[in-house]
Amino acid sequence: MPSETHTETANRFTAVLWDFDGTLVDTEPRWVEAELAILASHGVVWDRDYANGFTGGPLTDVCEAMAASIGGARTIDEIRHDLIAMVSRFNREREVPWRPGVLQLLTEMREAGIPMAIVTGSAYAVVEPVLAAMTEEIGNPFNTVVTFDDVTPQTTKPAPDPYLLAAERLGVNISECLAVEDSPKGAASATDAGAAVLTVSGPAQVGPGPRRVHRPDLSGLSLADVISLWHLADEPPAPIANGGGGVLRSGERVTLTDPKGRKHSIVLQPGGIFHTTKGAVRHDDLIGGPQGVVVTSVGGLNFLAMRPILSEFTVSMPREAAIIYPKEAAQIIMWADIFPGARVLEAGVGSGGLSIPLLRAIGPNGHLYSYERRQEFADVARKNVASFYGEVPSTWHLKVSDLVTGIGPEPLDRVILDMLAPWECVETVSRVLVPGGVLCCYVATTTQMGRVMDTLRADGGWTEPSATETTTRDWHAEGLAIRPAHGTTGHTGFLVMSRRLAPGVTAPMRKRRPAPGAYGPDYHGPRPRNITEHDQWRLPKEER
């Protein structure tokens, strides 16, 4: 095999430390079976869930509990001897219950030259029959084995000593190791030792923790996948604006997509439940794991779980007022030419649907001045912006005020007006918008659109306004079946764009005259400067 470069080895763990029962092999039920059998021989019955509670803990803990239940008929050491002997016999006589994906991963890691160790709270007599079977099947990939026999009852799991001993034997730094565990106590042992931990599902649920990532099992995972998970466990949390960072955590907003493409936005909470017509989806099945996974409801319905991107966040966040939808927000960023460092004013903040992409576009050196008349709208917008960015950006200046009376003196590069009557603010913003600056008005109706455009023409200090409407259409493509999908996002609003001229400059008169009747007797709004009251419209040729 070709030798690996330093960069390749530096970008992965130096060793993998494997738990045994429940991680490499599904032998935890054999321990419970042995415990219940020994207790039954003394006329004692344990609840199976109670027996599962000792999973991953020190062997002495369950032996002490069994001795207390039996009432002194057997000593702790005698019970431990009986347990080890019975489970060892099970492992010799029965087929090895490999956990999904284990043998393939062990083979790939061994071929890559990665040192590996078994770190278990079981005795070596329990491990030895499985190691013998593994050697016959794929060879022995382990450089060392740390068992209950190598530590004291006080320093076995959940103490960090077994993992520290394994790293010492391998000659590696424990902080550069990946431990694979299935129990809370085993995971605590590896975490306290300083290793990153990949947890898999077992009888007892392992909760989230530092340097920890969870997967239900190892099936389908390659070495490259495990390395990616190792990196993920070390990623610090980050706001949604920066991709989220690392594993899914409590308090994060997640988008669940069902097989029909319907999206559901939830905020993860420990013990939380998302109810569906096909049963519940547990939040705990997502917390601590990566995004981009499939979670299944109790009734068998699969959901794809992802952190929301900007367009999903803005349509799913809490709101008090209607928002500018992503399709218009994207057009505004492009056609209004929002650049890093720009000084931008928006009036009509609503729930912050446009504030969020504007803040991203202006970057850390820009300034966004947001005006909102209603305090309750401003409060919701502030919360949404803080939720997306992790804090309220210092580049955002939110003011609860009427724009006409409260506008500041700061010069502006761009102005976006999202309000009922933006024409009332044209004169106000013209005093602070720099020459060449862009004005964008978002309006819902054609009458509003016309009024804004005529106001700009009548003022004379603006370029000829343009108006656009944006629609999007989904497409269905499967093999040769390619056609428009049924879902189409139609009208939500119009965008009117114009640029500010230099002080004292008026726009040249347009040579093309309006259509006949455009400014006829029934029109009562502002008129372009070349249309007078006595020259309101032209007769059609046939009437002249």
Side-chain angles (χ1 to χ4, degrees), residues 103-418:
L103 292 181
Q104 295 85 343
L105 264 181
L106 290 174
T107 301
E108 190 176 358
M109 289 179 178
R110 180 186 59 187
E111 292 175 350
I114 298 174
M116 289 188 283
I118 290 178
V119 183
T120 178
S122 297
Y124 187 79
V126 174
V127 178
E128 191 278 330
V130 175
L131 277 179
M134 179 183 296
T135 302
E136 291 183 5
E137 191 160 351
I138 65 168
N140 185 358
F142 296 104
N143 302 81
T144 188
V145 179
V146 176
T147 69
F148 178 81
D149 307 318
D150 297 305
V151 293
T152 66
Q154 292 74 34
T155 58
T156 189
K157 296 179 183 180
D161 302 63
Y163 279 101
L164 293 172
L165 177 58
E168 181 183 343
R169 288 183 179 179
L170 293 176
V172 298
N173 187 334
I174 186 64
S175 65
E176 298 173 357
C177 294
L178 175 69
V180 189
E181 274 282 358
D182 78 307
S183 70
K185 294 176 181 176
S189 172
T191 295
D192 290 346
V197 186
L198 169 59
T199 63
V200 294
S201 299
Q205 181 175 338
V206 184
R211 300 197 71 200
R212 190 176 296 179
V213 59
H214 179 76
R215 294 297 297 126
D217 56 48
L218 303 176
S219 60
L221 295 182
S222 65
L223 172 58
D225 296 330
V226 176
I227 293 173
S228 295
L229 292 171
W230 176 66
H231 284 298
L232 200 68
D234 272 328
E235 279 190 28
I240 299 175
N242 297 335
V247 300
L248 297 174
R249 294 174 173 88
S250 174
E252 281 198 81
R253 185 171 293 276
V254 173
T255 300
L256 301 181
T257 306
D258 66 21
K260 292 185 177 180
R262 293 173 297 199
K263 297 181 183 296
H264 312 268
S265 181
I266 64 172
V267 177
L268 295 177
Q269 298 294 342
I273 297 292
F274 171 63
H275 294 281
T276 78
T277 55
K278 293 290 185 179
V281 173
R282 300 170 61 247
H283 292 198
D284 289 340
D285 292 340
L286 293 169
I287 296 174
Q291 63 170 326
V293 297
V294 175
V295 62
T296 305
S297 71
V298 174
L301 186 62
N302 291 328
F303 291 87
L304 180 62
M306 303 282 282
R307 287 188 174 102
I309 58 176
L310 175 58
S311 60
E312 293 174 340
F313 182 86
T314 54
V315 298
S316 63
M317 65 187 186
R319 65 179 71 170
E320 280 287 335
I323 62 167
I324 292 181
Y325 277 82
K327 63 187 181 74
E328 274 88 23
Q331 296 286 351
I332 291 170
I333 298 297
M334 173 60 74
W335 296 113
D337 189 32
I338 310 298
F339 58 88
R343 300 160 296 180
V344 181
L345 178 146
E346 66 162 340
V349 176
S351 299
L354 182 61
S355 308
I356 293 172
L358 286 176
L359 286 165
R360 172 179 279 180
I362 65 174
N365 298 318
H367 291 279
L368 175 62
Y369 303 95
S370 300
Y371 290 80
E372 173 55 56
R373 289 179 175 179
R374 299 180 61 171
Q375 182 68 54
E376 62 270 29
F377 288 1
D379 291 342
V380 171
R382 186 180 296 275
K383 289 179 182 178
N384 287 332
V385 169
S387 175
F388 187 78
Y389 288 103
E391 61 181 1
V392 175
S394 61
T395 54
W396 192 36
H397 314 280
L398 176 59
K399 188 174 183 180
V400 180
S401 171
D402 182 87
L403 178 62
V404 173
T405 58
I407 191 170
E410 302 88 3
L412 302 170
D413 300 300
R414 307 290 185 260
V415 171
I416 297 100
L417 303 180
D418 173 19

Side-chain angles (χ1 to χ4, degrees), residues 6 20-21 68 151 166 191 195 205 298 301 322 350 356-357 390 406 430 450 465 484 495 507 512 527 543:
H6 171 73
F20 181 72
D21 295 293
V151 293
T191 295
Q205 181 175 338
V298 174
L301 186 62
I356 293 172
S430 69
L495 297 180
R512 182 179 64 82
R527 291 180 176 83
E543 296 183 18

Side-chain angles (χ1 to χ4, degrees), residues 27-88:
T27 48
E28 297 287 11
R30 294 180 181 178
W31 282 96
V32 174
E33 180 184 350
E35 294 161 12
L36 299 181
I38 293 171
L39 290 168
S41 68
H42 293 276
V44 177
V45 177
W46 264 10
D47 180 82
R48 185 171 291 272
D49 290 338
Y50 178 71
N52 283 333
F54 294 96
T55 297
L59 186 58
T60 50
D61 284 2
V62 67
C63 293
E64 289 174 357
M66 291 173 67
S69 296
I70 291 172
R74 302 282 285 173
T75 66
I76 295 173
D77 287 341
E78 289 172 335
I79 290 176
R80 182 170 65 245
H81 178 272
D82 293 345
L83 259 180
I84 291 172
M86 187 174 293
V87 176
S88 178

